[in-house]
Amino acid sequence: MDRKTILIFCYTLFTAASVCPGFGQGLLQNLGARDKQCLDGLWQIIIDPLEYGMYTHSYKLKKNGYFLNEKAENSFDRIEYDFDGGYQLYVPGDWNTQMEKLYYYEGTIWYKRSFDALGDTNGRKRLYFEGVNYQCRVYLNGEFLGDHEGGFLPFSFDITNKLKAQDNFIVLKVDNTRQKDGIPTINFDWWNYGGITRSVHIVNLPDTYINDYYLSLVKGTKKKIEGWVKLEGDNVVAQDVMINVPELNIHEKIKTDKNGLASFTLSSEPELWSPDHPKLYEIEIASAEEKLTDHIGFKTIEVRDNDILLNGQTVFLKGISIHEEAPFGVGRVITAEQAATLLTWAKELGCNFIRLAHYPHNEFTVKLAEKMGLMVWSEIPVYWTVNYTNESTYKSAENQLIQMIDRDKNRAGVILWSVANETPVIPERLEFLRKLIQKARAKDQTRLITAALNTQRGEDNNIIIDDPLGEYIDVIGINSYCGWYGKRPAECRDLVWKNTFNKPIIMSEMGGGALAGMHGTKDDRWTEEYQAEVYECNLDMLKKIDFLAGTSPWILMDFRSPRRNLLRIQNDYNRKGLISENGEKKKAFFVLKDFYDHHQSKNKANHSQER
Ligand code: GCB
């Protein structure tokens, strides 16, 4: 399906059912189970590179900006904009791949959607966005609701008593200008897709509602489940909440405290989630006014020396890195079907693990991965040279980390939270990341913390891993492009890796570029043969690293990046994919698949039998 067909298909689906595809959560946990009105579909837009809809000629905030959606009332009135009769864009979706003139656009676009409320306008309501890149200001019927920064996580606003039965309008000022002090910063290797890239909903809630909850094995045990439920609304104190897990014969009644929080710990021995057995239990959480159903799995993940242990057993992470780019060349992933295509390719490759680079992907992707038995690395876009000394930069990183953990904390498939990718060894960065790591641990003690480093030092053929950040993380990711950014592929076989930490190492990136269908010798860069050789030689190198706990080579599919200017080959694509944007598998795909299909364990002894 081309992009237009997909969009028309989705639009028809959304407007007919008024339920968005996939599901989103966030601080309001389990959006999928809530009563809601979907606001996906066509939105009217105004392209506003000079932000004339926001600021006067003397750069003061306008009182009558585009958010008022004013209309000329007579022939004399001067209103220099009109959403009606202008351009339109589909939501969810990036603007870059929907209109040719927006392909490289970075700046402000105003979005407007009018709608009648479905059902009762009384009662509690939230306006919920699953993701808008990068900054936005949100208005309902001309009233400012709030703003949000960070392109990949959900946020919502209380709009109780603010809806009319008819003729409501939402206006968003969306700005994807790259920010020096932002997360990410101005310099990164992916397309800066702008817009309301994920679904939008109005959520109808009871007066007292279940805002959030968490269930997990108690750290260090396989026989105890703990959790909590948090109520919000009119009547949160001393309320009964039921937790039912019929398959485990759990029917637990708990009471909320003065803050609406009810916690529990109980004995139970669930079957554990793993790639071979991705078991999820149906869980029902019920308060006086609401009943939510979720599917939750239980697992343990720890490290022991150089090993990663899943449910107490050493596991080798057979992974692949993935950008959230839709297969078949259509921009950002917007449907669960597109995510399913990517994850099915990962399974075909022999993976039990995926690295979702370099920002939190759609929630439906994480849920699907969990269902398909794929362990997940999830990361925030602290990438390269963010402003490590700026307090607001740190705050943005911390907010994104917190929102990511909040959204996905109930997903058994998630094993690793990553706080950074390829950051420089300077004291300010160590301080910045140390604080983030502390925050992540405070929020979640049941998963491992990682970061992808490219700071290994080479002395002849010896490569030493001694970045001081290694001390603070549980699993060390190493990005290494031997045979691509340095050395000839065959030379990689001679490299000897030394780990100064007694911790597991994942080769979180390695690889090289090839244009699908371009052939030559294994010495000809950009050919499938060259890329396959990079993989052959690097995999030979990896087999000799006995502290290696996994790999997630770069990358499953070619992805758009404006850094890639070699027109006849790259044409705005980073070509390190094992699969092209049109779904063609390159030779290296099969080299890695062969390695994964024959890889039995991480022990050196087994490596010799691998091929
Ligand atoms: C890296 C980055 C990744 C790039 C990749 C490349 O080390 O982590 O974001 O896309 O290299 O292709 O250069």
Side-chain angles (χ1 to χ4, degrees):
M1 265 201 271
D2 63 13
R3 172 158 191 105
K4 211 165 167 198
T5 325
I6 290 173
L7 291 170
I8 290 168
F9 167 76
C10 294
Y11 182 57
T12 321
L13 192 80
F14 306 159
T15 45
S18 219
V19 171
C20 297
F23 14 68
Q25 298 182 341
L27 296 177
L28 187 65
Q29 196 62 225
N30 199 353
L31 190 70
R34 315 263 178 175
D35 174 36
K36 56 200 178 301
Q37 176 175 0
C38 180
L39 295 179
D40 289 350
L42 276 175
W43 287 54
Q44 296 170 309
I45 62 144
I46 293 173
I47 306 164
D48 187 18
L50 298 186
E51 301 190 301
Y52 185 52
M54 196 71 211
Y55 300 104
T56 64
H57 68 293
S58 50
Y59 213 58
K60 301 246 162 53
L61 267 183
K62 271 187 177 164
K63 292 197 179 66
N64 59 345
Y66 292 0
F67 44 86
L68 291 185
N69 183 32
E70 284 182 302
K71 297 279 171 200
E73 283 172 8
N74 54 54
S75 57
F76 176 73
D77 271 0
R78 183 181 62 85
I79 307 262
E80 292 194 56
Y81 71 96
D82 195 352
F83 283 99
D84 292 331
Y87 300 119
Q88 300 186 83
L89 287 173
Y90 286 95
V91 170
D94 61 86
W95 61 54
N96 313 74
T97 56
Q98 293 193 55
M99 274 171 76
E100 212 176 327
K101 69 161 83 180
L102 295 178
Y103 183 61
Y104 291 106
Y105 185 70
E106 295 185 320
T108 282
I109 288 189
W110 293 85
Y111 281 74
K112 189 215 118 196
R113 159 122 193 200
S114 299
F115 62 98
D116 296 339
L118 279 187
D120 195 1
T121 50
N122 298 321
R124 256 175 211 287
K125 289 179 193 297
R126 276 220 220 163
L127 177 58
Y128 191 105
F129 296 88
E130 292 194 41
V132 177
N133 191 36
Y134 171 77
Q135 280 179 327
C136 68
R137 296 173 64 86
V138 183
Y139 302 83
L140 173 64
N141 297 331
E143 181 189 337
F144 177 59
L145 295 179
D147 50 17
H148 185 260
E149 175 177 330
F152 304 97
L153 286 157
F155 54 96
S156 64
F157 303 101
D158 191 331
I159 54 164
T160 308
N161 299 327
K162 293 187 195 295
L163 274 193
K164 303 177 286 178
Q166 288 177 320
D167 296 330
N168 297 285
F169 63 94
I170 296 174
V171 175
L172 258 75
K173 175 184 181 291
V174 181
D175 182 0
N176 75 334
T177 307
R178 284 167 294 125
Q179 311 280 333
K180 195 167 178 309
D181 296 333
I183 298 290
T185 180
I186 45 177
N187 191 21
F188 48 87
D189 186 22
W190 66 84
W191 207 267
N192 183 23
Y193 288 119
I196 308 178
T197 53
R198 297 183 184 165
S199 292
V200 184
H201 320 259
I202 289 172
V203 189
N204 300 313
L205 296 162
D207 291 338
T208 302
Y209 61 96
I210 301 164
N211 187 57
D212 199 2
Y213 56 83
Y214 172 70
L215 267 88
S216 166
L217 284 174
V218 175
K219 190 176 165 63
T221 81
K222 293 180 186 150
K223 298 185 180 175
K224 251 190 205 154
I225 294 176
E226 66 178 355
W228 50 260
V229 177
K230 178 85 167 67
L231 298 187
E232 296 281 353
D234 292 349
N235 218 353
V236 300
V237 183
Q239 295 294 306
D240 286 338
V241 176
M242 277 302 297
I243 315 283
N244 294 314
V245 190
E247 243 190 291
L248 291 173
N249 206 19
I250 293 174
H251 302 282
E252 186 81 1
K253 192 195 251 183
I254 48 180
K255 232 184 211 353
T256 56
D257 64 12
K258 62 179 191 325
N259 301 313
L261 185 72
S263 325
F264 64 92
T265 306
L266 47 87
S267 295
S268 180
E269 208 170 336
E271 285 174 36
L272 300 180
W273 181 98
S274 73
D276 294 335
H277 183 62
K279 172 74 187 165
L280 300 177
Y281 286 93
E282 188 171 296
I283 315 266
E284 189 187 270
I285 298 174
S287 63
E289 295 180 58
E290 210 178 13
K291 195 185 280 181
L292 299 176
T293 302
D294 202 342
H295 293 87
I296 292 183
F298 301 95
K299 59 112 196 349
T300 66
I301 190 86
E302 323 149 75
V303 294
R304 191 200 299 134
D305 302 326
N306 300 141
D307 286 0
I308 296 175
L309 308 183
L310 175 70
N311 302 327
Q313 304 284 321
T314 298
V315 63
F316 186 83
L317 305 183
K318 301 177 186 180
I320 191 71
S321 296
I322 304 179
H323 257 295
E324 191 168 55
E325 185 111 356
F328 305 105
V330 285
R332 276 263 172 266
V333 165
I334 57 166
T335 68
E337 289 73 17
Q338 292 167 335
T341 302
L342 294 173
L343 300 188
T344 304
W345 282 335
K347 289 292 280 190
E348 206 181 320
L349 189 59
C351 293
N352 60 12
F353 168 64
I354 49 175
R355 175 182 176 205
L356 297 180
H358 279 301
Y359 38 75
H361 288 212
N362 264 289
E363 192 178 4
F364 54 67
T365 306
V366 180
K367 284 198 159 189
L368 198 59
E370 170 177 83
K371 246 189 182 160
M372 292 170 73
L374 289 162
M375 293 176 276
V376 171
W377 157 320
S378 189
E379 87 189 55
I380 51 169
V382 175
Y383 183 95
W384 291 348
T385 52
V386 308
N387 191 347
Y388 297 104
T389 52
N390 184 311
E391 193 43 42
S392 74
T393 305
Y394 174 77
K395 211 60 216 156
S396 176
E398 188 185 281
N399 285 342
Q400 294 187 44
L401 178 77
I402 289 171
Q403 289 165 18
M404 171 174 78
I405 297 176
D406 274 341
R407 194 192 72 173
D408 292 338
K409 60 182 172 289
N410 288 316
R411 303 283 69 87
V414 176
I415 58 166
L416 288 162
W417 302 124
S418 173
V419 294
N421 180 77
E422 297 190 350
T423 50
V425 182
I426 49 170
E428 301 85 322
R429 160 269 205 169
L430 194 60
E431 185 52 21
F432 186 103
L433 295 181
R434 221 179 37 74
K435 269 163 58 188
L436 278 184
I437 292 163
Q438 225 170 40
K439 199 79 205 171
R441 290 201 199 287
K443 278 208 77 77
D444 183 1
Q445 290 89 50
T446 65
R447 292 184 180 81
L448 305 173
I449 311 294
T450 190
L453 314 180
N454 66 339
T455 47
Q456 57 275 10
R457 293 182 300 116
E459 286 169 11
D460 302 324
N461 279 337
N462 296 311
I463 310 284
I464 301 164
I465 302 166
D466 62 356
D467 185 325
L469 185 64
E471 210 161 288
Y472 300 97
I473 50 188
D474 302 310
V475 174
I476 299 170
I478 298 292
N479 296 354
S480 155
Y481 283 88
C482 185
W484 186 258
Y485 288 129
K487 294 195 186 290
R488 294 235 164 203
E491 294 174 293
C492 308
R493 290 198 170 99
D494 300 328
L495 296 184
V496 178
W497 287 77
K498 188 164 178 290
N499 182 7
T500 59
F501 301 98
N502 186 27
K503 293 187 178 188
I505 302 284
I506 299 178
M507 195 57 71
S508 40
E509 288 181 30
M510 60 176 219
L515 179 65
M518 186 159 148
H519 294 286
T521 73
K522 59 184 184 177
D523 292 323
D524 297 328
R525 205 178 276 265
W526 303 115
T527 63
E528 290 195 29
E529 287 71 17
Y530 186 95
Q531 188 191 36
E533 175 73 355
V534 169
Y535 271 78
E536 294 276 7
C537 298
N538 273 276
L539 292 173
D540 283 347
M541 172 189 85
L542 294 187
K543 285 177 211 162
K544 293 186 288 179
I545 307 179
D546 53 11
F547 49 79
L548 192 73
T551 62
S552 53
W554 196 253
I555 185 167
L556 183 66
M557 194 186 80
D558 291 349
F559 61 96
R560 275 201 182 89
S561 166
R563 289 169 63 88
R564 306 300 169 177
N565 296 319
L566 183 60
L567 198 60
R568 79 200 146 84
I569 288 170
Q570 293 177 312
N571 195 18
D572 286 344
Y573 277 89
N574 182 316
R575 291 286 176 211
K576 296 193 187 68
L578 296 174
I579 304 178
S580 77
E581 74 278 19
N582 300 316
E584 300 143 295
K585 296 193 175 90
K586 306 178 195 173
K587 278 180 185 297
F589 178 94
F590 299 98
V591 175
L592 185 60
K593 178 173 168 50
D594 186 61
F595 175 72
Y596 284 161
D597 284 351
H598 295 94
H599 199 293
Q600 297 305 326
S601 89
K602 66 168 293 201
N603 299 328
K604 214 174 172 183
N606 286 315
H607 287 171
S608 55
Q609 305 159 11
E610 273 160 12
R611 304 177 52 79

